[in-house]
């Protein structure tokens, strides 16, 4: 049934009508059809910071200083100003209201980087339950480092990587965890995953997954490390058996034992190879077999059970079975914390008919199904907290060009044309539009520009930041409901 575009009418309708069971939140989100960003302040006067994102509860805007030394946190607020005219809607905003400080209040600035370290401006994870923020600093990468101490050949090394846990309310540093001569992929938080109070950090250099727990007090506690060992007592068992072998050598039973570190494969590799071998032995399908094609960049995905230490499944990135699981159960690949309700409202092709139709259209246009599968599987596994929960990305409410803007946290090629958000209920009605960059467009159309958008998860408020590749000053626009 068509809903009125009048907010008052819809409020009255909500009072007298009861939504179907389990749909109350979705019905409430439909009010965003009426409440949209309707005004843009172009090239706003703001601090020269690198803006990262809003926290998922909308309480904080996190940014970094340009020298990558400090974390600067703001509190979003709504614009207020007085007007003495009779019809204020026809007047432009006063100059004082067109500043960054009219929308955001700086809470504090904290220096994190020291001793040659820099803040990774693409890394930030947020614990909504405690309002803790996890940041990362690191020194420069060193290539062509010899693989000493069990390190993997060809993986670069970073002398020092530090993870900092901050209480975002006041900027207090609660805990730190340092990794020396290691390598963790910090870009877009790929090398770390946060689920409730458990934090997983992947060491590529030593092929190890560190499982840590973040306590309510802010302490970071080791839980286990998955790599050489899978169970908590594996190291104790191997060390005790190594002592038995040493005793036998001393008694003359064996005189040519190799180095202890070459006795076994690491625990996780042993389990993976065993799973592949059993699959081949049992004549299972190619989903568990090594690639036979000539693809220069094959990749594989494994599902590992930390409690039983078993490999549950193993797929190549071209496996049809994995794609069909992804198509039917996409939400299960976006693992979000149990306490974050609004993160479960993001549109996907397994919970939204419009997203599914778009996926099916892309699949039909693909030159070959195998290449389409590889393209879709290239995004797995998804990075933690990599999507915006803003209702303006709800594809049940709005239609937009995902080549120009989407819920995924990534830079995109900028355009001088406005990005349009079209109503789903009224397919020909433009609800609002957003344009990155200067109001009149760029003077030099040949200059390559990129942009990114930061949407507040609740308010009709967003930032668009346009950058060029020649270290010119960024153009920041504020989009809001006037």
């Amino acid at each position: 049934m068509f809903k009125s575009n009048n907010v008052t009418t819809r409020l009255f309708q909500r009072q007298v009508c009861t939504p179907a069971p389990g749909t109350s939140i979705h019905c409430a989100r439909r009010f965003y059809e009426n409440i949209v960003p309707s005004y843009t302040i172009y090239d706003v006067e703001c601090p020269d910071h690198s803006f990262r994102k809003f926290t998922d509860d909308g309480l904080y805007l996190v940014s970094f200083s340009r020298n990558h030394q400090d974390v600067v946190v703001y509190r979003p607020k709504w614009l207020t100003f007085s007007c003495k005219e009779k019809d204020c809607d026809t007047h432009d905003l006063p100059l004082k209201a067109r500043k960054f400080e009219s929308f955001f209040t700086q809470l504090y600035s904290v220096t994190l980087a020291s001793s040659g370290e820099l803040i990774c401006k693409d890394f930030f994870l947020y614990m909504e339950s405690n309002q803790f923020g996890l940041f990362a600093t690191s020194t420069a990468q060193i290539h062509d480092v010899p693989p000493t101490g069990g390190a993997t050949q060809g993986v670069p090394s970073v002398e020092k990587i530090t993870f900092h846990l901050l209480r975002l309310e006041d900027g207090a540093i609660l805990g730190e965890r340092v990794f020396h001569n290691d390598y963790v992929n910090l870009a877009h938080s790929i090398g770390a995953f946060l689920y409730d109070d458990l934090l997983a950090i992947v060491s590529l250099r030593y092929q190890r997954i560190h499982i840590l727990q973040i306590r309510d007090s802010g302490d970071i506690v080791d839980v286990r490390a998955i790599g050489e060992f899978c169970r908590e007592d594996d190291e104790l068992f191997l060390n005790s058996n190594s002592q038995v072998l040493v005793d036998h050598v001393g008694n003359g039973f064996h005189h040519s034992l190799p180095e202890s570190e070459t006795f076994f494969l690491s625990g996780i590799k042993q389990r993976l190879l065993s799973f592949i071998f059993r699959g081949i032995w049992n004549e299972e399908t190619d989903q568990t077999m090594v690639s036979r094609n000539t693809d220069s960049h094959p990749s594989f995905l494994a599902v590992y059970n930390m409690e039983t230490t078993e490999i549950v499944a193993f797929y190549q990135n071209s496996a049809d079975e994995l794609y069909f699981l992804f198509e039917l159960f996409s939400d299960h690949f976006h693992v979000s914390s149990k306490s974050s309700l609004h993160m479960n409202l993001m549109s996907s092709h397994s919970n939204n008919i419009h997203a599914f139709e778009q996926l099916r259209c892309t699949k039909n246009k693909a030159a070959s199904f195998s290449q389409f599968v590889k393209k879709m599987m290239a995004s797995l596994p998804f990075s933690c907290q990599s999507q915006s929960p803003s209702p303006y990305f709800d594809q049940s409410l709005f239609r937009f060009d995902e080549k120009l803007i989407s819920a995924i946290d990534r830079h995109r090629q900028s355009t001088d044309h406005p990005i349009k958000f079209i109503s789903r209920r009224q397919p020909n009605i433009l609800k609002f539009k957003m344009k990155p960059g200067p109001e009149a467009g760029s003077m030099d159309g040949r200059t390559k520009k990129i942009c990114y958008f930061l949407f507040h998860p609740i308010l009709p408020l967003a930032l668009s930041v346009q950058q060029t590749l020649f270290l010119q000053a960024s153009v920041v626009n504020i989009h809001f409901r006037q």
Side-chain angles (χ1 to χ4, degrees), residues 87-132:
D87 188 6
C88 295
D89 293 337
T90 60
H91 292 271
D92 203 357
L93 292 178
L95 292 178
K96 291 184 178 180
R98 301 174 64 86
K99 295 184 178 181
F100 184 83
E101 292 77 13
S102 299
F103 295 86
F104 302 96
T105 300
Q106 180 175 327
L107 297 182
Y108 54 82
S109 176
V110 177
T111 301
L112 291 185
S114 61
S115 304
E117 290 183 281
L118 295 175
I119 292 176
C120 177
K121 64 183 181 66
D122 292 328
F123 185 95
F124 170 66
L125 298 178
Y126 179 57
M127 288 186 66
E128 186 173 342
S129 57
N130 299 89
Q131 295 183 6
F132 293 162

CSV table of all heavy atoms in Angstrom, one decimal, residues 87-132:
chain,number,residue,atom,x,y,z
A,87,ASP,N,10.3,34.2,6.3
A,87,ASP,CA,10.4,33.0,5.6
A,87,ASP,C,11.8,32.5,5.6
A,87,ASP,O,12.6,32.9,4.7
A,87,ASP,CB,9.8,33.1,4.2
A,87,ASP,CG,9.7,31.8,3.5
A,87,ASP,OD1,10.0,30.7,4.1
A,87,ASP,OD2,9.4,31.7,2.3
A,88,CYS,N,12.3,31.8,6.6
A,88,CYS,CA,13.7,31.4,6.7
A,88,CYS,C,14.1,30.4,5.6
A,88,CYS,O,15.3,30.3,5.3
A,88,CYS,CB,14.0,30.8,8.1
A,88,CYS,SG,13.8,32.1,9.4
A,89,ASP,N,13.1,29.6,5.1
A,89,ASP,CA,13.5,28.5,4.2
A,89,ASP,C,14.0,29.1,2.9
A,89,ASP,O,14.7,28.4,2.1
A,89,ASP,CB,12.2,27.7,3.9
A,89,ASP,CG,11.8,26.9,5.1
A,89,ASP,OD1,12.7,26.6,6.0
A,89,ASP,OD2,10.6,26.4,5.2
A,90,THR,N,13.7,30.3,2.5
A,90,THR,CA,14.1,30.9,1.2
A,90,THR,C,15.5,31.5,1.4
A,90,THR,O,16.1,31.9,0.3
A,90,THR,CB,13.1,31.9,0.8
A,90,THR,OG1,13.0,33.0,1.8
A,90,THR,CG2,11.7,31.3,0.5
A,91,HIS,N,16.0,31.6,2.6
A,91,HIS,CA,17.3,32.3,2.8
A,91,HIS,C,18.4,31.2,2.9
A,91,HIS,O,18.2,30.1,3.4
A,91,HIS,CB,17.3,33.1,4.0
A,91,HIS,CG,16.4,34.3,3.9
A,91,HIS,ND1,16.8,35.5,3.5
A,91,HIS,CD2,15.1,34.5,4.2
A,91,HIS,CE1,15.8,36.4,3.5
A,91,HIS,NE2,14.8,35.8,3.9
A,92,ASP,N,19.6,31.6,2.4
A,92,ASP,CA,20.7,30.7,2.5
A,92,ASP,C,21.2,30.7,4.0
A,92,ASP,O,20.9,31.5,4.8
A,92,ASP,CB,21.9,31.2,1.6
A,92,ASP,CG,22.8,30.1,1.3
A,92,ASP,OD1,22.6,29.0,1.8
A,92,ASP,OD2,23.8,30.4,0.5
A,93,LEU,N,22.0,29.7,4.3
A,93,LEU,CA,22.5,29.5,5.6
A,93,LEU,C,23.5,30.7,5.9
A,93,LEU,O,24.2,31.1,5.1
A,93,LEU,CB,23.3,28.2,5.8
A,93,LEU,CG,22.5,26.9,5.8
A,93,LEU,CD1,23.4,25.7,5.9
A,93,LEU,CD2,21.4,26.9,6.9
A,94,PRO,N,23.5,31.2,7.2
A,94,PRO,CA,24.5,32.2,7.5
A,94,PRO,C,25.9,31.6,7.5
A,94,PRO,O,26.1,30.4,7.6
A,94,PRO,CB,24.1,32.6,8.9
A,94,PRO,CG,23.3,31.5,9.5
A,94,PRO,CD,22.6,30.9,8.3
A,95,LEU,N,26.9,32.5,7.3
A,95,LEU,CA,28.3,32.1,7.2
A,95,LEU,C,28.7,31.3,8.4
A,95,LEU,O,29.5,30.3,8.3
A,95,LEU,CB,29.2,33.3,7.0
A,95,LEU,CG,29.0,34.0,5.7
A,95,LEU,CD1,29.9,35.2,5.6
A,95,LEU,CD2,29.3,33.1,4.5
A,96,LYS,N,28.3,31.7,9.6
A,96,LYS,CA,28.7,30.9,10.8
A,96,LYS,C,28.2,29.5,10.8
A,96,LYS,O,28.8,28.6,11.4
A,96,LYS,CB,28.3,31.7,12.0
A,96,LYS,CG,29.0,33.0,12.3
A,96,LYS,CD,28.5,33.6,13.6
A,96,LYS,CE,29.3,34.9,13.8
A,96,LYS,NZ,28.8,35.6,15.1
A,97,ALA,N,27.1,29.3,10.2
A,97,ALA,CA,26.5,27.9,10.1
A,97,ALA,C,27.1,27.0,9.1
A,97,ALA,O,26.9,25.8,9.0
A,97,ALA,CB,25.0,28.0,9.9
A,98,ARG,N,28.0,27.6,8.2
A,98,ARG,CA,28.5,26.8,7.1
A,98,ARG,C,29.9,26.3,7.4
A,98,ARG,O,30.7,26.1,6.5
A,98,ARG,CB,28.6,27.7,5.8
A,98,ARG,CG,27.2,28.2,5.4
A,98,ARG,CD,27.3,29.2,4.2
A,98,ARG,NE,27.8,28.5,3.0
A,98,ARG,CZ,27.1,27.9,2.2
A,98,ARG,NH1,25.8,27.8,2.3
A,98,ARG,NH2,27.6,27.3,1.1
A,99,LYS,N,30.2,26.1,8.7
A,99,LYS,CA,31.5,25.6,9.1
A,99,LYS,C,31.4,24.2,9.7
A,99,LYS,O,30.3,23.8,10.1
A,99,LYS,CB,32.1,26.5,10.1
A,99,LYS,CG,32.4,27.9,9.6
A,99,LYS,CD,33.1,28.8,10.6
A,99,LYS,CE,33.5,30.1,10.0
A,99,LYS,NZ,34.2,31.0,11.0
A,100,PHE,N,32.5,23.5,9.7
A,100,PHE,CA,32.6,22.1,10.2
A,100,PHE,C,32.1,22.1,11.7
A,100,PHE,O,31.5,21.2,12.1
A,100,PHE,CB,34.0,21.6,10.0
A,100,PHE,CG,34.2,20.2,10.4
A,100,PHE,CD1,33.9,19.1,9.6
A,100,PHE,CD2,34.7,19.9,11.7
A,100,PHE,CE1,34.0,17.8,9.9
A,100,PHE,CE2,34.9,18.6,12.1
A,100,PHE,CZ,34.5,17.5,11.2
A,101,GLU,N,32.5,23.1,12.4
A,101,GLU,CA,32.3,23.2,13.9
A,101,GLU,C,30.8,23.3,14.2
A,101,GLU,O,30.3,23.1,15.3
A,101,GLU,CB,33.0,24.3,14.5
A,101,GLU,CG,34.5,24.2,14.5
A,101,GLU,CD,35.1,24.5,13.2
A,101,GLU,OE1,34.4,25.0,12.3
A,101,GLU,OE2,36.3,24.1,13.0
A,102,SER,N,30.0,23.7,13.2
A,102,SER,CA,28.5,23.7,13.4
A,102,SER,C,27.9,22.4,13.4
A,102,SER,O,26.7,22.2,13.9
A,102,SER,CB,27.9,24.6,12.3
A,102,SER,OG,28.4,25.9,12.3
A,103,PHE,N,28.6,21.3,12.9
A,103,PHE,CA,28.0,20.0,12.9
A,103,PHE,C,28.8,19.0,13.8
A,103,PHE,O,28.3,18.0,14.2
A,103,PHE,CB,28.1,19.5,11.5
A,103,PHE,CG,27.2,20.2,10.5
A,103,PHE,CD1,27.7,21.3,9.9
A,103,PHE,CD2,25.9,19.8,10.2
A,103,PHE,CE1,26.9,22.0,9.0
A,103,PHE,CE2,25.1,20.4,9.3
A,103,PHE,CZ,25.6,21.6,8.7
A,104,PHE,N,30.0,19.4,14.2
A,104,PHE,CA,30.8,18.5,15.0
A,104,PHE,C,31.6,19.2,16.1
A,104,PHE,O,32.1,20.3,15.8
A,104,PHE,CB,31.9,17.7,14.1
A,104,PHE,CG,31.2,16.9,13.0
A,104,PHE,CD1,31.1,17.5,11.7
A,104,PHE,CD2,30.7,15.7,13.2
A,104,PHE,CE1,30.5,16.8,10.7
A,104,PHE,CE2,30.1,15.0,12.2
A,104,PHE,CZ,30.0,15.5,10.9
A,105,THR,N,31.7,18.6,17.2
A,105,THR,CA,32.4,19.1,18.4
A,105,THR,C,33.6,18.2,18.6
A,105,THR,O,33.4,17.0,18.8
A,105,THR,CB,31.5,19.2,19.6
A,105,THR,OG1,30.4,20.1,19.4
A,105,THR,CG2,32.3,19.8,20.8
A,106,GLN,N,34.8,18.8,18.6
A,106,GLN,CA,36.0,18.0,18.9
A,106,GLN,C,36.0,17.6,20.4
A,106,GLN,O,35.9,18.5,21.3
A,106,GLN,CB,37.3,18.7,18.5
A,106,GLN,CG,38.5,17.9,18.8
A,106,GLN,CD,39.8,18.6,18.3
A,106,GLN,OE1,39.8,19.3,17.3
A,106,GLN,NE2,40.9,18.4,19.0
A,107,LEU,N,36.2,16.3,20.6
A,107,LEU,CA,36.2,15.9,22.0
A,107,LEU,C,37.7,15.9,22.5
A,107,LEU,O,38.0,16.3,23.6
A,107,LEU,CB,35.7,14.4,22.1
A,107,LEU,CG,34.2,14.3,21.8
A,107,LEU,CD1,33.7,12.9,22.0
A,107,LEU,CD2,33.3,15.2,22.7
A,108,TYR,N,38.6,15.4,21.7
A,108,TYR,CA,40.0,15.3,22.1
A,108,TYR,C,40.9,14.9,20.9
A,108,TYR,O,40.4,14.5,19.9
A,108,TYR,CB,40.2,14.3,23.2
A,108,TYR,CG,39.7,12.9,22.9
A,108,TYR,CD1,40.4,12.0,22.2
A,108,TYR,CD2,38.4,12.5,23.3
A,108,TYR,CE1,39.9,10.8,21.8
A,108,TYR,CE2,37.9,11.3,23.0
A,108,TYR,CZ,38.7,10.4,22.3
A,108,TYR,OH,38.2,9.2,21.9
A,109,SER,N,42.2,15.0,21.1
A,109,SER,CA,43.2,14.6,20.2
A,109,SER,C,44.2,13.8,21.0
A,109,SER,O,44.8,14.3,21.9
A,109,SER,CB,43.8,15.7,19.4
A,109,SER,OG,44.9,15.3,18.6
A,110,VAL,N,44.5,12.6,20.5
A,110,VAL,CA,45.4,11.7,21.3
A,110,VAL,C,46.6,11.3,20.3
A,110,VAL,O,46.3,10.8,19.2
A,110,VAL,CB,44.7,10.4,21.8
A,110,VAL,CG1,45.7,9.5,22.5
A,110,VAL,CG2,43.6,10.8,22.8
A,111,THR,N,47.8,11.4,20.7
A,111,THR,CA,49.0,11.0,20.0
A,111,THR,C,49.2,9.5,20.2
A,111,THR,O,49.4,9.1,21.3
A,111,THR,CB,50.2,11.8,20.3
A,111,THR,OG1,50.0,13.2,20.1
A,111,THR,CG2,51.4,11.3,19.5
A,112,LEU,N,49.2,8.7,19.1
A,112,LEU,CA,49.4,7.3,19.2
A,112,LEU,C,50.8,6.8,18.7
A,112,LEU,O,51.4,6.0,19.2
A,112,LEU,CB,48.3,6.5,18.5
A,112,LEU,CG,46.9,6.5,19.1
A,112,LEU,CD1,46.0,5.6,18.3
A,112,LEU,CD2,46.9,6.1,20.5
A,113,ALA,N,51.2,7.4,17.6
A,113,ALA,CA,52.4,7.0,16.9
A,113,ALA,C,53.6,7.6,17.6
A,113,ALA,O,53.6,8.7,18.0
A,113,ALA,CB,52.3,7.4,15.4
A,114,SER,N,54.6,6.7,17.7
A,114,SER,CA,55.9,7.2,18.3
A,114,SER,C,57.0,6.3,17.7
A,114,SER,O,56.7,5.2,17.2
A,114,SER,CB,55.9,7.1,19.8
A,114,SER,OG,55.6,5.7,20.2
A,115,SER,N,58.3,6.7,17.9
A,115,SER,CA,59.4,5.9,17.5
A,115,SER,C,59.4,5.4,16.0
A,115,SER,O,59.6,4.3,15.7
A,115,SER,CB,59.6,4.7,18.4
A,115,SER,OG,59.7,5.1,19.8
A,116,GLY,N,59.1,6.4,15.1
A,116,GLY,CA,59.1,6.0,13.7
A,116,GLY,C,57.8,5.4,13.2
A,116,GLY,O,57.7,5.0,12.1
A,117,GLU,N,56.8,5.2,14.1
A,117,GLU,CA,55.6,4.6,13.7
A,117,GLU,C,54.6,5.6,13.1
A,117,GLU,O,54.7,6.8,13.4
A,117,GLU,CB,54.9,3.9,14.9
A,117,GLU,CG,55.6,2.7,15.4
A,117,GLU,CD,54.8,2.0,16.5
A,117,GLU,OE1,54.9,2.5,17.7
A,117,GLU,OE2,54.1,1.0,16.2
A,118,LEU,N,53.7,5.1,12.2
A,118,LEU,CA,52.6,5.9,11.7
A,118,LEU,C,51.3,5.2,11.9
A,118,LEU,O,51.2,4.0,11.9
A,118,LEU,CB,52.9,6.2,10.2
A,118,LEU,CG,54.1,7.0,9.8
A,118,LEU,CD1,54.2,7.0,8.3
A,118,LEU,CD2,54.0,8.4,10.3
A,119,ILE,N,50.2,6.0,12.1
A,119,ILE,CA,48.9,5.4,12.2
A,119,ILE,C,48.5,4.9,10.8
A,119,ILE,O,48.6,5.6,9.8
A,119,ILE,CB,47.9,6.5,12.7
A,119,ILE,CG1,48.2,6.9,14.1
A,119,ILE,CG2,46.5,6.0,12.6
A,119,ILE,CD1,47.3,8.0,14.7
A,120,CYS,N,47.9,3.7,10.8
A,120,CYS,CA,47.3,3.2,9.6
A,120,CYS,C,45.9,3.8,9.5
A,120,CYS,O,45.0,3.5,10.2
A,120,CYS,CB,47.2,1.7,9.7
A,120,CYS,SG,46.4,0.9,8.3
A,121,LYS,N,45.8,4.7,8.5
A,121,LYS,CA,44.5,5.5,8.4
A,121,LYS,C,43.4,4.7,7.9
A,121,LYS,O,42.2,5.1,7.9
A,121,LYS,CB,44.7,6.7,7.5
A,121,LYS,CG,45.1,6.4,6.0
A,121,LYS,CD,45.4,7.7,5.3
A,121,LYS,CE,45.7,7.4,3.8
A,121,LYS,NZ,44.5,6.8,3.1
A,122,ASP,N,43.6,3.4,7.4
A,122,ASP,CA,42.5,2.6,6.9
A,122,ASP,C,42.1,1.6,8.0
A,122,ASP,O,41.2,0.7,7.7
A,122,ASP,CB,43.0,1.8,5.7
A,122,ASP,CG,43.1,2.7,4.5
A,122,ASP,OD1,42.4,3.7,4.4
A,122,ASP,OD2,44.0,2.4,3.6
A,123,PHE,N,42.7,1.6,9.2
A,123,PHE,CA,42.4,0.6,10.2
A,123,PHE,C,41.6,1.2,11.3
A,123,PHE,O,42.1,2.2,12.0
A,123,PHE,CB,43.7,-0.1,10.7
A,123,PHE,CG,43.4,-1.2,11.7
A,123,PHE,CD1,43.4,-2.5,11.2
A,123,PHE,CD2,43.2,-1.0,13.0
A,123,PHE,CE1,43.1,-3.5,12.1
A,123,PHE,CE2,43.0,-2.0,13.9
A,123,PHE,CZ,42.9,-3.3,13.4
A,124,PHE,N,40.4,0.7,11.6
A,124,PHE,CA,39.7,1.1,12.8
A,124,PHE,C,38.6,0.1,13.1
A,124,PHE,O,37.8,-0.2,12.2
A,124,PHE,CB,39.1,2.5,12.6
A,124,PHE,CG,38.1,2.9,13.7
A,124,PHE,CD1,38.5,3.0,15.0
A,124,PHE,CD2,36.7,3.0,13.4
A,124,PHE,CE1,37.6,3.3,16.0
A,124,PHE,CE2,35.8,3.3,14.4
A,124,PHE,CZ,36.2,3.5,15.7
A,125,LEU,N,38.5,-0.4,14.3
A,125,LEU,CA,37.4,-1.3,14.7
A,125,LEU,C,36.8,-0.8,15.9
A,125,LEU,O,37.5,-0.2,16.8
A,125,LEU,CB,38.0,-2.8,14.9
A,125,LEU,CG,38.6,-3.5,13.7
A,125,LEU,CD1,39.1,-4.8,14.1
A,125,LEU,CD2,37.6,-3.6,12.6
A,126,TYR,N,35.5,-1.0,16.1
A,126,TYR,CA,34.7,-0.4,17.2
A,126,TYR,C,34.0,-1.4,17.9
A,126,TYR,O,33.3,-2.3,17.4
A,126,TYR,CB,33.8,0.7,16.6
A,126,TYR,CG,32.9,1.4,17.6
A,126,TYR,CD1,33.5,2.1,18.6
A,126,TYR,CD2,31.5,1.3,17.5
A,126,TYR,CE1,32.7,2.7,19.6
A,126,TYR,CE2,30.7,2.0,18.4
A,126,TYR,CZ,31.3,2.7,19.4
A,126,TYR,OH,30.6,3.3,20.4
A,127,MET,N,34.1,-1.4,19.3
A,127,MET,CA,33.3,-2.2,20.2
A,127,MET,C,32.1,-1.4,20.7
A,127,MET,O,32.3,-0.5,21.5
A,127,MET,CB,34.1,-2.7,21.3
A,127,MET,CG,35.1,-3.8,21.0
A,127,MET,SD,36.0,-4.4,22.5
A,127,MET,CE,34.6,-5.2,23.3
A,128,GLU,N,31.0,-1.6,20.1
A,128,GLU,CA,29.8,-0.8,20.5
A,128,GLU,C,29.4,-1.0,21.9
A,128,GLU,O,28.9,-0.1,22.6
A,128,GLU,CB,28.6,-1.2,19.5
A,128,GLU,CG,27.4,-0.3,19.7
A,128,GLU,CD,26.3,-0.6,18.7
A,128,GLU,OE1,26.7,-1.2,17.6
A,128,GLU,OE2,25.2,-0.2,18.9
A,129,SER,N,29.6,-2.2,22.5
A,129,SER,CA,29.1,-2.5,23.8
A,129,SER,C,29.9,-1.7,24.9
A,129,SER,O,29.3,-1.3,25.9
A,129,SER,CB,29.3,-4.0,24.1
A,129,SER,OG,30.6,-4.4,23.9
A,130,ASN,N,31.2,-1.5,24.6
A,130,ASN,CA,32.0,-0.7,25.6
A,130,ASN,C,32.4,0.6,25.0
A,130,ASN,O,33.1,1.4,25.8
A,130,ASN,CB,33.3,-1.6,25.9
A,130,ASN,CG,33.0,-2.9,26.5
A,130,ASN,OD1,32.8,-3.9,25.9
A,130,ASN,ND2,32.9,-2.9,27.9
A,131,GLN,N,32.1,0.9,23.8
A,131,GLN,CA,32.5,2.2,23.2
A,131,GLN,C,34.1,2.3,23.2
A,131,GLN,O,34.7,3.3,23.5
A,131,GLN,CB,31.9,3.4,23.8
A,131,GLN,CG,30.4,3.4,23.6
A,131,GLN,CD,29.8,4.7,24.2
A,131,GLN,OE1,30.5,5.6,24.7
A,131,GLN,NE2,28.5,4.8,24.2
A,132,PHE,N,34.7,1.1,22.8
A,132,PHE,CA,36.2,1.1,22.7
A,132,PHE,C,36.5,1.1,21.2
A,132,PHE,O,35.7,0.6,20.4
A,132,PHE,CB,36.7,-0.2,23.2
A,132,PHE,CG,36.6,-0.4,24.7
A,132,PHE,CD1,36.8,-1.6,25.3
A,132,PHE,CD2,36.4,0.7,25.6
A,132,PHE,CE1,36.7,-1.8,26.7
A,132,PHE,CE2,36.3,0.6,26.9
A,132,PHE,CZ,36.4,-0.7,27.5
